[in-house]
Amino acid sequence: MKFRLILMLLAVLCLLGGCAAPDGATTDEGYDDLIVVGFSQVGAESDWRNANTRSMQQALSAENGFRLIIDDAQQKKERQITAIRNFIHQGVDYIVLAPTTEDGWETVLGEAKAAGIPVIIIDRMIDRSLATGEPGDDLFTCWIGSDFTRQGNAAVAWLEGRFGSTPVRIVHLQGNYGSSAQVGRSASLDEGLRRNPQWTLVARDSGDFTQAKGQELVEAYLAQGIGFDVIFAENDNMAYGAIDALKNAGLTPGKDVTIVSFDANRKALEMVAAGEIGFDVECNPLHGPRVKAVIEQLERGEAPLKYTYVEESAFDSQGLSRELIDSRGY
Ligand code: GZL
């Protein structure tokens, strides 16, 4: 909206000043009636993230009436803060933020609010204390994402069903510290460890949600002679790396070590079907259509829901079919 206003003012000034587009046409013939969205994306650390970016590009396309400007923060919060300030300076109509971690957004979101630019948060949450729940007096208009604690609880429940009272030694590959996905999934495992004294946590580190770091950590644990029965990987890419490390050490994932993971990418579901991953909890990245619908609501002057949790499932080899895997959108 703001972007269009600036263009219209420029067009009026041109008409008054007699200026014209290079081809002599008046500038309003090239008027760009698109909704301009600045999207601060975490990075490109995982299959999930890339699917999330593609979903936003497909939904917020020029054909659908949008101009999408994406900034890849390479998993650094300070780059996201700079990107948001640039979007404010550019006078975009909306800002979409996929926050790296929950803390530290007060100042820059206050600047967006002062500039009158609605902010839509997707995927992970920001510090909830910034939200009063009342539309309009908040630092963000609405949030669309996942319930990460519920996801973690599903994985813990599956492990309880799989192992019963049998003692197990657990390796925990965490996501980026302070990200909602890590906070929620880790809290569930901590509760599971408290509830199951026969479970032992033998190693826990952040694998940054990346395949390379996941492999590196498991290789280090194996080299240190740490014995373990379960790998609790907080996303599929770290699970892929763990599986490579196990295979390189002559171990059989799914037989020597049980793996639970999150995201349920198509590639990971192939590994569930092959028995390499025991259980995979879906984390749906396809937020593009949801963001498009929210912006269209706001354009109509309607107030969207403050919080929208996306529908998500979970898979082990029992409930998995070829057509289900082939039908996956990511
Ligand atoms: C979860 C998302 C996480 C994914 C990872 O919503 O934030 O970040 O689980 C991604 O794959 O890197």
Side-chain angles (χ1 to χ4, degrees):
M1 187 76 74
K2 192 179 293 296
F3 193 80
R4 294 204 293 271
L5 195 60
I6 293 168
L7 281 177
M8 286 171 72
L9 285 175
L10 279 175
V12 168
L13 287 173
C14 281
L15 286 174
L16 291 175
C19 66
D23 60 5
T26 55
T27 47
D28 60 358
E29 283 177 22
Y31 181 58
D32 216 354
D33 191 22
L34 300 175
I35 298 171
V36 183
V37 179
F39 175 30
S40 173
Q41 176 59 294
V42 166
E45 75 282 0
S46 64
D47 297 7
W48 187 101
R49 187 65 55 196
N50 295 334
N52 180 246
T53 298
R54 283 196 302 275
S55 175
M56 291 289 285
Q57 288 168 324
Q58 287 157 8
L60 303 183
S61 64
E63 300 73 57
N64 289 338
F66 295 88
R67 167 170 294 153
L68 179 63
I69 307 166
I70 301 181
D71 177 85
D72 171 345
Q74 294 168 12
Q75 293 186 285
K76 292 181 176 55
K77 183 206 291 294
E78 55 275 10
R79 290 184 62 120
Q80 291 200 287
I81 291 171
T82 302
I84 291 171
R85 288 196 167 120
N86 288 339
F87 294 148
I88 294 169
H89 180 70
Q90 289 168 275
V92 300
D93 297 311
Y94 295 90
I95 289 172
V96 178
L97 168 63
T100 45
T101 54
E102 294 193 352
D103 61 343
W105 299 101
E106 301 86 325
T107 303
V108 74
L109 293 189
E111 292 166 18
K113 178 171 180 171
I117 301 175
V119 174
I120 298 164
I121 310 282
I122 63 167
D123 178 25
R124 305 170 186 175
M125 176 54 78
I126 64 169
D127 177 356
R128 274 180 186 269
S129 66
L130 301 180
T132 61
E134 299 308 317
D137 68 351
D138 261 343
L139 291 180
F140 63 95
T141 300
C142 62
W143 170 86
I144 303 165
S146 300
D147 182 339
F148 302 108
T149 304
R150 189 185 62 77
Q151 292 176 359
N153 291 342
V156 168
W158 184 85
L159 286 173
E160 287 173 326
R162 170 83 175 66
F163 289 102
S165 58
T166 308
V168 287
R169 300 160 299 174
I170 299 173
V171 157
H172 184 191
L173 305 180
Q174 296 180 287
N176 299 84
Y177 291 138
S179 66
S180 305
Q182 176 272 316
V183 170
R185 294 166 187 169
S186 294
S188 301
L189 180 58
D190 285 343
E191 173 57 23
L193 287 161
R194 192 196 56 72
R195 204 166 52 230
N196 296 279
Q198 74 281 13
W199 292 5
T200 307
L201 180 70
V202 295
R204 165 179 277 173
D205 285 287
S206 173
D208 288 343
F209 287 128
T210 67
Q211 179 167 344
K213 192 74 185 290
Q215 179 169 350
E216 184 188 308
L217 288 173
V218 174
E219 283 170 349
Y221 302 147
L222 291 168
Q224 293 160 34
I226 295 173
F228 50 90
D229 313 290
V230 170
I231 294 177
F232 190 97
E234 291 188 353
N235 87 325
D236 288 338
N237 291 78
M238 292 190 291
Y240 303 158
I243 286 168
D244 288 344
L246 293 172
K247 288 180 174 176
N248 293 343
L251 296 169
T252 306
K255 179 172 166 290
D256 299 319
V257 178
T258 297
I259 296 171
V260 296
S261 184
F262 297 84
D263 289 349
N265 295 320
R266 182 180 300 138
K267 177 178 171 183
L269 292 185
E270 297 282 6
M271 295 175 178
V272 173
E276 295 182 326
I277 293 177
F279 190 67
D280 205 332
V281 183
E282 181 182 24
C283 183
N284 191 306
L286 307 179
H287 294 324
R290 302 174 186 117
V291 171
K292 174 174 178 288
V294 162
I295 290 177
E296 288 166 347
Q297 267 187 290
L298 292 165
E299 288 285 299
R300 293 193 298 269
E302 298 166 11
L305 275 178
K306 188 72 185 173
Y307 299 100
T308 300
Y309 287 91
V310 295
E311 286 295 310
E312 291 166 334
S313 181
F315 307 93
D316 61 12
S317 56
Q318 314 305 320
L320 214 43
S321 64
R322 184 71 255 158
E323 46 274 55
L324 188 148
I325 294 175
D326 293 343
S327 70
R328 299 293 290 168
Y330 63 98

